[in-house]
Amino acid sequence: MKVLELFCGAGGAYQGMHAAGWEHLACLDYDANPVSVLRRAGGPAMQADLSKPWTQGLLGAHLRGVADVVWSSFPCQAFSSAGKRLGANDPRNGWPWTLAILDAVKPTWSMSENVAGLLMHSGEHCGDPLACPGCYFHRVTLHHCVREPCSIAPSATAAPLSLSRALRWLFPMPVAINPRPAPYDFPQ
């Protein structure tokens, strides 16, 4: 599998996929410090501003038909219960940038990882996709996915996580899968 990794940080996801034999075409992040760490670890890391349309277009021009998988660990601050949960209104919300890159690159598969708060609805704002993270995420992924998200408890991973993580598998629509896979939540 050939992978384009977005919001790569210092390379935790890269290490796992690399160990599984997946080939990384590029690992991109805005922050120069984790990019330099991943470069020193041997990853093809590059600093890039994924919010810019020219970056998204460049990725599409060079990686459409080449990348099998796009992995995105987009910033969690917009959805974390430890923050203000501004969702769509948070300027650090990297999910729209992820979708723009998915539309440009058109991979066969996409996987995203974030805090479990991304999937939770706000009692106060439920129904408003701009104010409720759960409504927002559900609305913006409808044209891309068939796989429901799952939440993974920290105890189910070997990683030193303190919060549950949300995973979502996405692939371009329409996809002819019969029957569709059933949602699966990893044991807590």
Side-chain angles (χ1 to χ4, degrees):
M1 298 288 267
K2 294 181 180 178
V3 183
L4 168 62
E5 187 174 341
L6 310 176
F7 309 102
C8 64
Y14 165 80
Q15 294 295 338
M17 288 183 270
H18 182 72
W22 292 18
E23 175 191 348
H24 273 75
L25 302 167
C27 299
L28 307 173
D29 201 288
Y30 183 78
D31 191 338
N33 292 323
V35 165
S36 68
V37 169
L38 183 51
R39 273 193 205 133
R40 283 194 299 267
M46 293 179 268
Q47 189 175 3
D49 186 347
L50 300 174
S51 71
K52 301 297 183 196
W54 63 267
T55 302
Q56 299 159 4
L58 189 63
L59 290 171
H62 290 282
L63 297 179
R64 181 177 286 153
V66 177
D68 300 307
V69 176
V70 171
W71 172 278
S72 179
S73 294
F74 54 98
C76 67
Q77 295 92 333
F79 308 102
S80 175
S81 59
K84 295 179 182 175
R85 296 194 73 204
L86 296 175
N89 296 313
D90 193 312
R92 299 165 295 185
N93 175 12
W95 186 240
W97 312 329
T98 297
L99 287 178
I101 292 167
L102 287 174
D103 286 339
V105 174
K106 302 207 180 304
T108 305
W109 295 95
S110 175
M111 293 178 271
S112 62
E113 171 275 328
N114 211 286
V115 294
L118 173 70
L119 308 176
M120 303 202 184
H121 292 275
S122 162
E124 181 182 348
H125 301 289
C126 194
D128 178 358
L130 293 178
C132 173
C135 291
Y136 166 75
F137 194 66
H138 177 72
R139 187 180 126 234
V140 298
T141 59
L142 283 178
H143 74 289
H144 279 279
C145 73
V146 249
R147 179 69 172 97
E148 285 302 308
C150 67
S151 181
I152 298 179
S155 59
T157 71
L161 300 173
S162 58
L163 299 171
S164 292
R165 307 305 289 174
L167 294 177
R168 185 164 271 225
W169 288 259
L170 305 166
F171 24 104
M173 294 294 268
V175 176
I177 297 178
N178 274 324
R180 287 187 177 184
Y184 179 76
D185 283 324
F186 287 85
Q188 299 283 333

